[in-house]
Amino acid sequence: MDKNNPSIAVLGAGVVGMTVARILQDRLRNVNVTVLADKFQEDTVSAVAAGIFRPGTSFKGATKEITKQWINDSWYYWQHILNTSEAPQAGVMALSTYIFSKNNYHVTRNHLIEDLVPSYRPVDANELKLCGEGWKHGSYFSTVKIGCERYLPWAERIFMEKGGKIVQKKIKNFTSLPQKFDLVFNCTGMGAKYLCNDYDLVPMRGQVIKARAPWLKTAFYGDYDTYIIPGHDGIATLGGVRQYDSYNMEVCKHDAAAIFERCCELLPSLKKAEIVSHKVGLRPHRVPVRVEPELIDGVKVVHCYGHGGYGVMCSPGTGLQAVKIGVDLMKSNLKNKL
């Protein structure tokens, strides 16, 4: 290894891979980073996601402390971008959010972010009527949204301006890399199931509707995985479904009809919205999310995958830990560390 100019590969160009690549460039000097992937920008699962910062309670690291650290680090990472002039280009925007339930008070609470975001409070009686009658419980919170349709091109541009290299190539195993790297970050999402023979990694199928609703400035959640999240250029994301262990990448007309019906019931003004597209993505669900080192056929690898539906919001936190692990590996003997 050239200690002065280490050569590092990042496998995967979704939000996790591109964020890890950015962190590497920010944390290390004179590092040569190459991103290798078969899909980029709008072709990645990240581009389907609404990208709102609202981690679910199923998002877990090895310990509660690690999970909380990932979430906190991610929040401050996105806040840093939000407070710069680059925020619009990066797709990061502040967002007010309501979550309502007709049956369960606990679903309107989120212990992972209640002490983190600027505001998280119960709604009052008038706010319960914002989305019609029958809502018995609700919370309001302020958060951020990361639109990957902007963030991924922005991250790629900055990465390349700093000397990063991008190669379009599907990596079938760690010995098929086009050159010898001092360190490899595995950020391949569902691809890790085959790359690592990881049977703990399960697809969580999601389907959403992209609708033109420029009047929408606030996000809304309701029962039965119903959500309406505004975005850039007036395009809102309407969802959704969570279908465990489904590999179906086709748009299901029945899912689409159910999503639209639930969203219009939650917010009737959506009936006049123009439907722009229907999107399907397979969320890489794993418990816990895998962030750890491994020596594979002589290749030093740091895994960072399995974020499920929370990769966009929590990629900085897991990425920061993965990079720290990688830096430690380059300073020590991997065999002694594992």
Side-chain angles (χ1 to χ4, degrees):
M1 180 179 77
D2 184 344
K3 294 182 179 180
N4 295 320
N5 295 282
S7 181
I8 299 176
V10 177
L11 310 185
V15 67
V16 178
M18 290 312 305
T19 301
V20 165
R22 289 198 67 234
I23 293 171
L24 280 166
Q25 288 181 327
D26 289 342
R27 295 296 187 272
L28 300 175
R29 293 183 179 181
N30 302 319
V31 63
N32 298 312
V33 185
T34 301
V35 172
L36 300 102
D38 60 335
K39 295 180 180 179
F40 294 85
Q41 297 188 23
E42 68 272 10
D43 294 326
T44 66
V45 177
S46 303
V48 179
I52 190 170
F53 193 95
R54 180 181 174 259
T57 53
S58 64
F59 177 75
K60 293 180 180 177
T63 66
K64 290 182 180 179
E65 292 74 21
I66 287 174
T67 304
K68 184 59 173 168
Q69 189 67 55
W70 288 347
I71 292 169
N72 289 2
D73 286 346
S74 296
W75 172 259
Y76 292 116
Y77 181 94
W78 296 124
Q79 284 295 304
H80 172 74
I81 296 176
L82 180 65
N83 293 322
T84 70
S85 60
E86 291 281 296
Q89 297 177 57
V92 182
M93 59 186 280
L95 190 63
S96 296
T97 305
Y98 284 100
I99 178 167
F100 298 115
S101 177
K102 295 181 178 180
N103 303 305
N104 301 301
Y105 170 65
H106 74 273
V107 304
T108 71
R109 301 289 300 274
N110 191 319
H111 69 280
L112 293 172
I113 62 172
E114 282 182 338
D115 63 345
L116 182 63
V117 299
S119 176
Y120 203 118
R121 60 169 175 78
V123 300
D124 60 32
N126 290 327
E127 288 173 306
L128 278 174
K129 297 177 182 179
L130 285 172
C131 293
E133 301 294 330
W135 301 106
K136 298 178 180 178
H137 314 286
S139 292
Y140 165 89
F141 61 98
S142 52
T143 187
V144 296
K145 170 190 159 59
I146 305 96
C148 279
E149 73 279 359
R150 293 191 180 191
Y151 175 74
L152 290 178
W154 175 81
E156 281 189 26
R157 175 179 60 80
I158 293 178
F159 171 72
M160 296 182 72
E161 286 175 355
K162 291 185 176 181
K165 184 180 179 182
I166 288 181
V167 175
Q168 186 165 16
K169 179 178 176 65
K170 184 176 180 64
I171 303 300
K172 296 182 178 179
N173 54 67
F174 291 100
T175 58
S176 67
L177 293 167
Q179 68 183 76
K180 183 175 177 57
F181 292 96
D182 300 307
L183 186 64
V184 175
F185 286 85
N186 174 23
C187 308
T188 54
M190 276 307 303
K193 187 174 185 71
Y194 310 103
L195 190 61
C196 305
N197 293 318
D198 188 344
Y199 299 104
D200 292 327
L201 187 62
V202 178
M204 190 75 73
R205 180 182 179 273
Q207 181 171 318
V208 297
I209 299 171
K210 300 290 184 177
R212 196 177 307 281
W215 63 87
L216 189 63
K217 305 300 180 184
T218 302
F220 294 92
Y221 282 85
D223 288 324
Y224 310 114
D225 205 24
T226 301
Y227 53 86
I228 302 162
I229 302 173
H232 296 278
D233 303 318
I235 304 299
T237 301
L238 316 183
V241 297
R242 297 177 188 271
Q243 296 166 347
Y244 185 81
D245 205 14
S246 171
Y247 289 84
N248 179 18
M249 285 295 295
E250 298 298 319
V251 172
C252 173
K253 64 179 182 180
H254 304 294
D255 287 338
I259 290 168
F260 195 66
E261 181 180 356
R262 295 199 313 269
C263 289
C264 288
E265 182 180 354
L266 184 62
L267 206 64
S269 64
L270 287 173
K271 292 178 181 178
K272 63 181 180 180
E274 174 195 353
I275 294 178
V276 177
S277 62
H278 298 269
K279 300 286 187 179
V280 175
L282 303 183
R283 309 175 181 102
H285 177 74
R286 189 182 192 276
V287 180
V289 178
R290 192 179 187 192
V291 182
E292 62 183 6
E294 186 178 12
L295 183 64
I296 304 176
D297 297 325
V299 180
K300 295 179 180 179
V301 178
V302 179
H303 300 290
C304 189
Y305 67 83
H307 298 67
Y310 310 109
V312 175
M313 67 193 81
C314 292
S315 56
T318 56
L320 284 164
Q321 187 190 12
V323 169
K324 183 181 184 303
I325 292 171
V327 170
D328 290 344
L329 288 184
M330 291 193 295
K331 292 179 180 179
S332 64
N333 186 300
L334 181 64
K335 293 182 179 179
N336 292 334
K337 189 172 182 68
L338 295 177

